[in-house]
Amino acid sequence: MPLTLTRALALALLAGHGSLAVAQTPGCDVCAAWNADQAPFRIFGNTYYVGVKGLSSVLVTSPQGHVLIDGGLPESAPKIIANIDTLGFRIEDVKLILNSHGHIDHAGGLAELQRRSNALVAASPSAALDLASGEVGPDDPQYHALPKYPPVKDMRLARDGGQFKVGSIELTAHATPGHTPGGLSWTWLSCDGPRCLNMVYADSLNAVSRPGFKFSASSEYPHALADLRHSFESLEKLPCDVLISAHPEASQLWERLEASVTGGSDAFVDPQACRAYVAAARTLLDSRLDQEKQQ
């Protein structure tokens, strides 16, 4: 029986994060696969994919300077820099680096990327604490289940609805907690000639944790379940023509890239993508809550 889109996305999310109940071990066996080489490519207009195979990093360009979203693992940073160079841009022209959340697979490379670019890093108040220490706090569902990473300096706090500008680029932060207490998604407008599209960089929304953590009943993060559900509602309401998720397979980026060989940039356009992404996350959360009831 063919998979529905929602179920296929749910399985992609699961594949990217291991067990529903247990986060990756401190050794991070999956990191090598996440950090596999990926050639950079243009998604639409002034928006480019410059990340590695399993961890998204997005470059938004302008003549006055560029914005980079997320930095992958510590060992992803040189690959991201090389991908930016391959596209004809320079890491030194990145003026602002935005973060989705403070886990090593999205924040691990930020310190090196900041060092090479001298850019300001923007993160939520909760994620900024993680980035400053190089590890997540005790309210994070994956506390002590993730390796440490190089800490980040010179940060600006990003709150829900906050806007950040570099030249003609204007990005808006959207609080999407639950996967972590400080999760952020980002939106901006990208234009190709007279055609402009609503771009969404969606943070992870999947309910994964360290052993023993319960989204339905956590003293360390008592609002985890409510936060996830609020994030679902927020993200599915966003204007969303092109979706890029923090883990690219969760938004079918590789299938869309393959289709773009013949279909061009239109292959990345799907106004229903954010709703499908949220539906997949809801499916995983329902499964997780069933597990917690059985426990």
Side-chain angles (χ1 to χ4, degrees):
M1 180 179 179
L3 291 175
T4 64
L5 177 61
T6 296
R7 188 171 170 226
L9 285 173
L11 290 172
L13 282 167
L14 180 55
H17 287 274
S19 167
L20 282 169
V22 182
Q24 295 299 322
T25 62
C28 192
D29 294 339
V30 75
C31 284
W34 277 345
N35 200 50
D37 292 346
Q38 171 59 48
F41 56 92
R42 187 171 81 115
I43 298 173
F44 181 82
N46 61 335
T47 298
Y48 300 84
Y49 188 90
V50 294
V52 291
K53 187 68 174 181
L55 302 168
S56 294
S57 187
V58 168
L59 185 73
V60 188
T61 65
S62 82
Q64 298 79 27
H66 315 317
V67 177
L68 184 67
I69 308 176
D70 272 351
L73 296 157
E75 56 268 37
S76 303
K79 295 187 176 186
I80 292 169
I81 293 169
N83 281 345
I84 291 172
D85 183 70
T86 295
L87 291 170
F89 302 108
R90 302 189 322 140
I91 186 63
E92 292 83 2
D93 293 327
V94 172
K95 305 302 182 185
L96 179 65
I97 302 174
L98 306 177
N99 176 238
S100 58
H101 66 269
H103 288 172
I104 187 173
D105 48 337
H106 308 287
L110 294 182
E112 177 63 12
L113 292 164
Q114 182 185 57
R115 187 188 71 80
R116 288 290 304 273
S117 65
N118 200 31
L120 187 71
V121 171
S124 72
S126 176
L129 293 175
D130 300 337
L131 268 57
S133 62
E135 61 178 332
V136 299
D139 57 345
D140 191 287
Q142 298 188 53
Y143 179 57
H144 279 173
L146 297 170
K148 295 182 179 180
Y149 54 88
V152 178
K153 302 176 181 178
D154 300 325
M155 286 179 283
R156 181 181 298 175
L157 297 184
R159 293 181 169 86
D160 189 38
Q163 294 183 330
F164 292 80
K165 296 182 180 181
V166 173
S168 58
I169 309 167
E170 181 175 290
L171 299 100
T172 302
H174 302 270
T176 46
H179 179 73
T180 69
L184 289 176
S185 296
W186 296 91
T187 60
W188 66 100
L189 201 63
S190 192
C191 299
D192 188 0
R195 186 188 187 194
C196 296
L197 296 178
N198 294 293
M199 315 293 289
V200 177
Y201 186 92
D203 191 22
S204 299
L205 296 181
N206 46 335
V208 294
S209 74
R210 63 184 182 270
F213 180 91
K214 289 189 175 183
F215 283 88
S216 55
S218 167
S219 58
E220 301 91 351
Y221 186 8
H223 306 296
L225 183 56
D227 278 358
L228 270 175
R229 287 173 170 162
H230 178 74
S231 296
F232 294 164
E233 293 176 3
S234 297
L235 190 59
E236 67 187 353
K237 292 177 182 177
L238 289 177
C240 179
D241 296 315
V242 177
L243 171 67
I244 308 113
S245 53
H247 285 267
E249 73 280 353
S251 52
Q252 296 187 311
L253 187 64
W254 306 130
E255 292 86 346
R256 298 181 195 279
L257 177 61
E258 184 177 355
S260 73
V261 174
T262 55
S265 59
D266 280 347
F268 296 104
V269 180
D270 180 2
Q272 301 303 315
C274 282
R275 293 186 181 91
Y277 183 71
V278 169
R282 280 199 177 102
T283 297
L284 290 180
L285 178 60
D286 289 344
S287 177
R288 175 58 187 259
L289 294 177
D290 285 343
Q291 290 181 20
E292 291 183 4
K293 287 179 182 179
Q294 293 171 10
Q295 292 171 1

